[in-house]
Amino acid sequence: MAQASTGPTAEDRGGLRTALAGLTTRGRSFLAAGVAAAICAYVLGQSDLLRVGLLLAVLPLVCATVLYRTRYRVAGSRRLSPERVPAGSEARVHLRMDNISRLPTGLLMLQDKVPYVLGPRPRFVLDRVEAGGRREVSYRVRSDLRGRYPLGPLQLRLTDPFGMCELTRSFSAYDTLTVIPRVEALPPVRLTGEAQGYGDGRQRSLALAGEDDIIPRGYRYGDDLRRVHWRLTARYGELMVRREEQPQRSRCTVLLDTRGIAFQSAGPDSAFEWAVSGAASTLLHMLERGFSVRLLTDTGSSVPGEGSDGLAGTGQESADAAGLMMDTLAVVDHSDGTGLSRAYEVLRGGNEGLLIAFLGDLDEEQATVLGKMRRRSGGAVAFLLDSESWVREPTDVPGPSDKDKDKDPLRMLREAGWTAVAVPRGASLADLWREADRRRTQVAPTGTTAGGGGV
């Protein structure tokens, strides 16, 4: 809670200059008229006119002095509900003013400073606040653009009963409203190409603690004799020990292409914003289903604080991980990169489980890099956005020439093993999610099961 004093403070080094600078148009007019009347009275020798002129000149000065010397303190606080809001949705800002002095206040004009993209600057007029009293007001903000927007500082305007002077006091507290990408609920499908943990399929790894699985191995020097499995020892004729293991959480990496050259438009309905929204929807969807998820961009960067296995958790931990990812996507912007090689360097370390990519325009070189990424993942799904189709008129849809068909990035990705889906303008991610599952089922080899946990 921030506080502001309406009396003189150490910050008001100008003394009464601050009060004189706060004279309103009415106050300045009275002062100018009084001075002019006094000069005319002196020249003409009219004492009555001189008294009128002095009265006109002194009135705004007295009002400014009294307003400046008025001593009472007020405290202001701001509360956002909610602090994170999807683009296009409204958030409510609650303001509270407390009079913590022993004197009642006069008429107060309250103004909060907000960025223009959130709407007009809110202003409120508060009646006299009694000593120890409070007033609460609220207003709504809305933005169609992602981002982090500062709210504040809160400004308090004081005025005298005659409207001669107006002083402004600012609070020091700021708050931040985070506008996150729009999120679309996705249907549960089975997109994974290989079994990787919780679900229908599992992958095992050594555990420091957890459930015990009887997976025998030969005795090694230093092993605890309490782990010797005597029944298997008798069967194999040599000492066999139990090895403690536990299930490994399924992993999913979401690759977001942020290259500026891959997207031709900007704005809330652009291809890039669709890709960001798709990445956000996918991250939340996979996190809710127990996956260890990681966000990766073409620059090789990921979510700050994210481990090598991504973010995961249950309950509050899962909510914190989701909030961290949404905060990162709220401010993601176009990069200056020209390729996806940095992302490939991050992925080349080993099997990354399921890889889901949201891609802009691709050339043959970048399609080749993506083909290498496919070999590092258990399954790969790509949503390919042709940014040119997002900026031209729907009636103007030229078909690709025979010369370009062989270099079609969608075809190249499918030949490399990706489940690639083209994203038309204004498409629903939920529908494309189902189409990706249908394509994966169609390309699965005969007699094999394209298993894995349902997502």
Side-chain angles (χ1 to χ4, degrees), residues 84 284 287 303-304 311-328:
R84 294 188 185 95
L284 292 183
L287 191 61
V303 177
L311 294 173
T314 58
Q316 184 60 38
E317 293 181 359
S318 179
D320 293 341
L324 188 59
M325 290 182 175
M326 293 301 102
D327 288 345
T328 302

Side-chain angles (χ1 to χ4, degrees), residues 30 32 61 69 75 78-79 91 108-109 121-122 127 149 154 190 248 255 269 285 354 375 383 402 404 408 437:
F30 267 67
L61 297 179
R69 300 299 298 180
R78 183 190 298 104
R79 179 172 58 88
L108 302 179
M109 290 183 290
R121 181 170 297 184
D127 294 332
Y149 300 102
L154 191 63
R190 299 168 59 86
Q248 178 179 346
L255 173 62
D269 297 326
H285 180 80
L354 178 62
R375 294 193 290 269
F383 297 94
D402 295 337
D404 296 333
D408 180 23
D437 177 56

Side-chain angles (χ1 to χ4, degrees), residues 339-406:
L340 302 172
S341 57
R342 292 183 181 178
Y344 171 67
E345 292 296 328
V346 175
L347 295 174
R348 67 184 304 178
N351 194 311
E352 295 295 326
L354 178 62
L355 176 60
I356 302 178
F358 293 86
L359 307 168
D361 296 335
L362 299 176
D363 55 21
E364 185 176 0
E365 179 181 355
Q366 303 314 317
T368 303
V369 174
L370 288 168
K372 297 178 181 178
M373 291 185 188
R374 171 63 183 90
R375 294 193 290 269
R376 299 290 179 179
S377 62
V381 181
F383 297 94
L384 186 60
L385 293 92
D386 180 8
S387 63
E388 184 179 354
S389 64
W390 283 68
V391 297
R392 65 184 175 219
E393 295 298 328
T395 56
D396 183 18
V397 186
S401 62
D402 295 337
K403 179 180 179 181
D404 296 333
K405 285 183 179 180
D406 293 337

Side-chain angles (χ1 to χ4, degrees), residues 186 252-259 262-263 271-283 286 295-298 329 340 355-362 370 381-385 413 418 421 423 429-430 432-433:
L186 301 180
C252 174
T253 299
V254 177
L255 173 62
L256 176 61
D257 185 3
T258 64
R259 296 172 298 141
F263 299 93
F272 180 68
E273 290 302 320
W274 192 98
V276 174
S277 176
S281 303
T282 302
L283 288 169
M286 305 303 288
L295 173 64
L296 182 66
T297 66
D298 57 286
L329 288 174
L340 302 172
L355 176 60
I356 302 178
F358 293 86
L359 307 168
D361 296 335
L362 299 176
L370 288 168
V381 181
F383 297 94
L384 186 60
L385 293 92
L413 291 180
W418 284 77
V421 178
V423 180
L429 178 60
L432 298 178
W433 194 256

Side-chain angles (χ1 to χ4, degrees), residues 71-84:
R71 293 180 179 273
Y72 54 81
R73 301 180 66 192
V74 293
S77 63
R78 183 190 298 104
R79 179 172 58 88
L80 305 181
S81 177
E83 295 184 355
R84 294 188 185 95

Side-chain angles (χ1 to χ4, degrees), residues 4-84:
S5 173
T6 64
T9 63
E11 296 180 356
D12 300 322
R13 304 181 187 276
L16 290 179
R17 293 181 181 177
T18 303
L20 294 177
L23 288 175
T24 62
T25 302
R26 178 184 299 178
R28 295 176 187 274
S29 299
F30 267 67
L31 182 60
V35 173
I39 294 175
C40 293
Y42 176 78
V43 173
L44 299 176
Q46 297 291 330
S47 58
D48 293 336
L49 182 59
L50 179 61
R51 286 191 290 270
V52 173
L54 292 177
L55 177 62
L56 294 176
V58 170
L59 181 59
L61 297 179
V62 172
C63 291
T65 303
V66 172
L67 185 64
Y68 179 76
R69 300 299 298 180
T70 300
R71 293 180 179 273
Y72 54 81
R73 301 180 66 192
V74 293
S77 63
R78 183 190 298 104
R79 179 172 58 88
L80 305 181
S81 177
E83 295 184 355
R84 294 188 185 95

Side-chain angles (χ1 to χ4, degrees), residues 26 40 42 46 84 86 155 173 191 196 200 206 220 236 242 251 254 286 307 352 366 389 398 433-434 440 446:
R26 178 184 299 178
C40 293
Y42 176 78
Q46 297 291 330
R84 294 188 185 95
Q155 293 180 337
L191 290 179
Q196 296 259 5
D200 296 338
L206 291 179
R220 297 173 186 171
Y236 291 103
R242 292 187 299 268
R251 301 174 64 183
V254 177
M286 305 303 288
E352 295 295 326
Q366 303 314 317
S389 64
W433 194 256
R434 296 188 185 92
R440 180 199 60 83
T446 304

